Amino acid sequence: MKSNLFITALFTAVISLGFNSSEANSKYRTKIEKPAENTKIQVALLLDTSSSMDGLIDQAKSRLWNIVNTLTTLKYDGKTPDIEIALYEYGNDGLSQKSNYIRQITPLSTDLDLISEKLFALRTNGGNEYCGAVIQDATKQLQWAKESNNMKLIYIAGNEEFNQGGVNYKEAISNALKNDIYVNTIFCGDKKEGISILWKDGADYGKGKYFNIDANQAVEYIATPYDEEISKCDEKINKTYINYGAKGAAKKMNQVTQDQNAKKVSAANYTDRAVSKSKAVYKNESWDLVDKVKDDAGAISKLKKEELPVELQNKSTAELQQIVTEKTKERETIQKEISVLAKKRQQFIDTESKKTKKQDDLGNTINTSIVAFAKVKGYTVEK
């Protein structure tokens, strides 16, 4: 009897060990098979919105999509990184004194239409410009990526003394560097003046670059023979979006609003936006069913009918899948068409730019430094 009990116990232990080992191996496989996060390029724009900075805000509106297009030329290990942009304003009397006249407008986000919406809503108003405080807040409050292959940049632009306020800018920048975040400074005024009031010192501490721009100079665009054709493609690509969810209709409407905002700046700026919308980094999986299905093939079956546009609520899952498939193919075709035109457009711009002195505005400043940092970090540039 004792022998039988021993054998039974031994057999149970072996079976149990086998199951535990299998479970452990399963967990191990799950762990090692989990795909690594995509490389990120994270850019925080800290803009002075005091009363003298209307020109700076206008340049930011004029160059947002141009900057995005520069970011999309960067590759890491042959892959396109995710692009996240954050917006801060500082130095505005309409903000709380307790917050050091600082406001995080958007966190680091891939929602480029949201960035555009908030940027176009900015208004200037008096103020005390505390550079150290806004750098510190951006460093601590934004969700910066951890891995060293990510590129993390702060750009702060303004026109008053860099050392104002109760937060020491050197300490704030030192904390940024500990997180592998490089700080670049853009002084809106004379180069020597910016140096004398410590804007260059801030960039030197931040291992970044110091620039000066004329914030009151309007951005000069180069019109090309390809702009109109790209714009027509953009009108077609908008028709491939299928909104879903509680905020889907509003988000789709905002897409059109940001198209109009870009047009109000200039036809060339609208073309820049159209090019951005043809890129992989312009993704709207939170409200567009075509993008959502790319991330989650089973997304359609999980939707409630009331989450869809009225005209699609009576469609079956199979019918919806067919519609999404057709819209996906249609969008990809238009994106390829824009890509071909965009390359020709950029070649035309590059050729024309060589004939005239390159304008040193906010966009050119940021684009030039982004490419320089990218090469140091091991990224490649593919135009």
Side-chain angles (χ1 to χ4, degrees):
M1 178 68 73
K2 288 182 179 179
S3 176
N4 287 341
L5 287 172
F6 174 76
I7 291 170
T8 301
L10 180 62
F11 181 77
T12 301
V14 170
I15 294 297
S16 175
L17 181 61
F19 276 123
N20 289 339
S21 175
S22 175
E23 184 179 356
N25 287 338
S26 175
K27 287 180 179 178
Y28 178 71
R29 284 196 301 272
T30 301
K31 184 175 181 181
I32 64 172
E33 289 171 4
K34 182 180 179 181
E37 285 190 4
N38 203 23
T39 306
K40 293 181 179 180
I41 301 175
Q42 298 178 307
V43 179
L45 303 176
L46 319 182
L47 304 176
D48 179 355
T49 55
S50 61
S51 57
S52 58
M53 289 286 96
D54 289 298
L56 173 66
I57 305 308
D58 287 342
Q59 285 195 15
K61 294 173 184 176
S62 301
R63 287 302 193 187
L64 171 63
W65 300 109
N66 184 263
I67 292 168
V68 169
N69 289 337
T70 295
L71 290 168
T72 63
T73 65
L74 304 179
K75 308 288 182 188
Y76 192 85
D77 283 343
K79 296 180 181 179
T80 300
D82 289 333
I83 293 173
E84 295 181 349
I85 298 175
L87 281 179
Y88 268 82
E89 66 169 321
Y90 74 101
N92 191 314
D93 273 350
L95 304 175
S96 167
Q97 183 178 3
K98 291 182 180 179
S99 70
N100 286 311
Y101 305 103
I102 293 166
R103 181 169 73 101
Q104 182 190 107
I105 303 167
T106 70
L108 286 162
S109 175
T110 59
D111 188 343
L112 299 177
D113 283 349
L114 175 66
I115 302 297
S116 176
E117 175 191 350
K118 298 300 183 182
L119 184 58
F120 274 84
L122 285 179
R123 299 294 181 267
T124 58
N125 179 27
N128 296 281
E129 297 94 309
Y130 301 154
C131 295
V134 71
I135 292 170
Q136 176 177 270
D137 198 89
T139 299
K140 291 184 176 181
Q141 300 304 323
L142 295 176
Q143 297 296 311
W144 298 98
K146 302 295 183 185
E147 293 77 10
S148 61
N149 59 339
N150 296 299
M151 190 162 70
K152 297 174 283 187
L153 304 171
I154 285 176
Y155 288 90
I156 179 168
N159 71 339
E160 296 293 339
E161 289 86 354
F162 200 75
N163 60 346
Q164 292 184 79
V167 178
N168 187 299
Y169 73 87
K170 293 181 181 179
E171 291 181 9
I173 291 172
S174 177
N175 288 332
L177 283 176
K178 288 175 184 176
N179 292 282
D180 200 29
I181 305 165
Y182 296 89
V183 179
N184 305 272
T185 65
I186 304 170
F187 179 66
C188 302
D190 179 74
K191 183 176 182 178
K192 290 183 179 178
E193 182 185 358
I195 293 172
S196 69
I197 57 177
L198 303 175
W199 281 79
K200 184 177 184 302
D201 194 50
D204 291 343
Y205 260 87
K207 294 185 179 179
K209 297 183 183 298
Y210 164 68
F211 302 91
N212 74 293
I213 63 171
D214 180 357
N216 295 317
Q217 184 175 355
V219 170
E220 297 175 3
Y221 296 98
I222 297 174
T224 83
Y226 310 101
D227 294 353
E228 186 177 351
E229 204 169 344
I230 291 173
S231 298
K232 288 179 180 177
C233 287
D234 184 68
E235 292 172 6
K236 289 190 289 184
I237 210 169
N238 278 0
K239 295 176 183 177
T240 68
Y241 285 85
I242 304 173
N243 58 283
Y244 76 92
K247 297 181 180 179
K251 285 284 189 179
K252 187 174 182 180
M253 189 178 296
N254 188 46
Q255 182 186 59
V256 176
T257 300
Q258 299 320 309
D259 286 345
Q260 295 302 320
N261 278 337
K263 282 181 182 178
K264 289 175 185 176
V265 173
S266 75
N269 186 53
Y270 173 49
T271 307
D272 278 335
R273 172 170 162 79
V275 172
S276 296
K277 286 167 67 179
S278 73
K279 305 285 188 177
V281 297
Y282 183 80
K283 49 188 179 181
N284 298 285
E285 65 277 3
S286 67
W287 64 268
D288 169 48
L289 200 52
V290 174
D291 280 345
K292 180 64 176 176
V293 169
K294 289 178 183 177
D295 283 351
D296 180 3
I300 293 174
S301 61
K302 300 172 189 175
L303 285 175
K304 298 177 182 177
K305 287 191 175 183
E306 57 267 26
E307 293 181 285
L308 291 164
V310 175
E311 65 271 19
L312 297 180
Q313 289 180 4
N314 292 325
K315 301 291 185 183
S316 67
T317 299
E319 287 173 324
L320 283 171
Q321 185 62 63
Q322 180 62 30
I323 291 169
V324 170
T325 299
E326 289 172 359
K327 292 296 182 184
T328 300
K329 291 179 180 177
E330 186 180 347
R331 187 181 301 176
E332 288 173 352
T333 299
I334 300 168
Q335 286 173 329
K336 288 176 182 176
E337 186 178 351
I338 294 176
S339 178
V340 171
L341 292 168
K343 286 182 180 179
K344 293 178 180 178
R345 177 179 184 257
Q346 191 57 51
Q347 288 170 356
F348 185 93
I349 291 172
D350 290 344
T351 301
E352 292 299 309
S353 295
K354 293 174 183 177
K355 298 177 183 178
T356 59
K357 185 179 179 182
K358 191 175 183 181
Q359 186 187 3
D360 190 19
D361 62 29
L362 182 72
N364 287 328
T365 292
I366 292 176
N367 287 337
T368 302
S369 60
I370 281 174
V371 171
F373 276 111
K375 290 178 179 178
V376 171
K377 293 286 287 185
Y379 290 70
T380 56
V381 181
E382 298 179 8
K383 290 190 176 182

